[in-house]
Amino acid sequence: MTRLLKPLALGLLGIALALPTFAALKTGSKAPDFSAPAYLAGNPFTFKLSDALKKGPVVMYFFPAAFTPGCNLEAHLFSQAIDQFKAQGATVIGVTAGNVDQLAEFSKSTEHCGGKFPVAADPGAKIARQYDAILDKKPEWSSRTSYVISPQGSIVHVYSDLNPNRHVKETLDAVKALKK
């Protein structure tokens, strides 16, 4: 019997190791404050989380790298929904550790951010590490993890999925729930 269990256990371990893991910060955690170089419509500025929280909730979405297919789509989806976030008093910020030298162009590209929300550079994935949002297969890049942070600085919603399609709906629903 043990001869059968050992190969089964090794096979299950192999499957578990092959799956992506998301160790994102949990709901209720205090969001680590940070400031980072950012771009809005190609214009550089410094984004500071604590300043943004003074205006209302913050939707912070980590994405692996500018000008990659999934990240292009995710940025486009956020740009299409930005008025809905603003109507709820929320600030949207994209954060990436990948292709940070291309963020100015990415932020103003009409096919992506369209100049509608800022994107912040995270060289070395320092912010992503604070938020446990590191891409397992490429640890120098951030994962695709979205956070909704209350004005009090606590994380009220976390969504991690490499597929970019549901991040806008997940975060917008969470922001709307804050108003209830």
Side-chain angles (χ1 to χ4, degrees):
M1 184 72 155
T2 57
R3 287 187 297 175
L4 293 174
L5 292 177
K6 187 175 182 179
L8 177 62
L10 289 174
L12 290 174
L13 178 63
I15 290 170
L17 291 174
L19 295 173
T21 57
F22 298 104
L25 295 180
K26 304 292 184 230
T27 299
S29 299
K30 179 82 172 147
D33 192 20
F34 70 91
S35 57
Y39 298 89
L40 177 60
N43 298 312
F45 73 102
T46 299
F47 178 88
K48 186 159 178 54
L49 179 62
S50 58
D51 290 344
L53 289 172
K54 291 174 186 173
K55 301 172 192 167
V58 172
V59 173
M60 182 170 64
Y61 81 92
F62 286 94
F63 61 101
F67 293 113
T68 58
C71 300
N72 294 347
L73 174 61
E74 186 175 28
H76 181 72
L77 294 172
F78 270 106
S79 73
Q80 287 182 318
I82 198 66
D83 290 337
Q84 295 174 67
F85 285 102
K86 288 180 179 179
Q88 299 297 317
T91 298
V92 173
I93 178 84
V95 180
T96 188
N99 298 342
V100 295
D101 59 327
Q102 299 174 27
L103 281 183
E105 184 63 32
F106 188 71
S107 74
K108 65 182 178 180
S109 169
T110 57
E111 295 176 26
H112 308 107
C113 304
K116 295 182 179 181
F117 64 91
V119 286
D122 183 19
K126 293 176 184 85
I127 301 166
R129 274 190 198 72
Q130 289 181 300
Y131 281 82
D132 291 330
I134 297 293
L135 189 62
D136 287 340
K137 293 180 181 180
K138 197 164 182 152
E140 65 274 15
W141 283 9
S142 37
S143 66
R144 190 175 316 283
T145 301
S146 297
Y147 290 96
V148 176
I149 304 167
S150 75
Q152 295 76 33
S154 64
I155 294 170
V156 296
H157 187 74
V158 181
Y159 183 70
S160 289
D161 191 342
L162 283 176
N163 184 326
N165 292 319
R166 291 192 46 85
H167 285 263
V168 168
K169 180 179 181 352
E170 285 282 331
T171 56
L172 186 56
D173 288 349
V175 167
K176 287 177 179 177
L178 285 172
K179 295 277 184 163
K180 293 180 181 176

